[in-house]
Amino acid sequence: MNALRILLLLSFVALSGPGQAATVREIGTAELRQAVGSGAALSPKRVIGSVARSTGGEPIEARAFDADGLYYRIVLKKPDGSIISVIVDARTGEEVAKGSAVGRQVAAAAESGSKAKGKSATAGSNGKGNGNGGGNGNGNGNGNGGGNGGGNGNGNGKN
């Protein structure tokens, strides 16, 4: 009986070990550009537009992940103010169920990546007023640095 329990426990550990979680990683723009250029993935712009139309939301963030295939995680703000995220297969443009194995893996990778970085990948500014270096001179320092990163520098790109 104990041998059976140990065997079941070892099987469970082997199947749920770090191998699955370690296979999901966020990919950068150069790698994404290459995948889109080769036809291995739909363009993020096309997928984001489609998801925005189907949900009625305004895109806030989009990130690409490699999880034994390329997936986009798109965060949107709905008209009622609620925030939703949608995971899409970048190859087909089809939404992936959040409860599916890959859906859970991509969501977990996105959450752990956000916490590790301390900001969203598309925010543009890290709160140090370095959006475009010049800002608009009124003390916000992030000028048009690309997003909702905040920033509260002194307008000259330095803190």
Side-chain angles (χ1 to χ4, degrees), residues 2-19:
N2 278 341
L4 181 60
R5 284 185 185 164
I6 291 172
L7 183 59
L8 286 173
L9 180 62
L10 288 175
S11 297
F12 177 75
V13 170
L15 291 174
S16 65

Side-chain angles (χ1 to χ4, degrees), residues 17-32:
Q20 287 182 346
T23 62
V24 180
R25 66 181 178 84
E26 186 169 1
I27 66 168
T29 53
E31 192 175 352
L32 178 58

Side-chain angles (χ1 to χ4, degrees), residues 43-134:
S43 78
K45 184 176 181 179
R46 178 176 169 186
V47 173
I48 292 167
S50 175
V51 169
R53 283 188 300 279
S54 70
T55 63
E58 178 184 340
I60 297 173
E61 173 185 271
R63 294 163 61 188
F65 292 88
D66 180 2
D68 293 327
L70 191 59
Y71 296 88
Y72 296 124
R73 178 178 180 260
I74 303 164
V75 178
L76 304 106
K77 183 175 183 179
K78 302 269 291 184
D80 66 2
S82 63
I83 303 294
I84 62 167
S85 69
V86 177
I87 298 169
V88 178
D89 183 324
R91 195 174 33 85
T92 64
E94 302 220 358
E95 187 173 342
V96 174
K98 290 180 187 174
S100 69
V102 75
R104 289 190 313 267
Q105 290 175 344
V106 170
E111 291 302 316
S112 67
S114 292
K115 291 175 186 170
K117 292 179 185 175
K119 65 175 185 165
S120 71
T122 59
S125 175
N126 63 7
K128 294 183 179 175
N130 63 354
N132 66 1

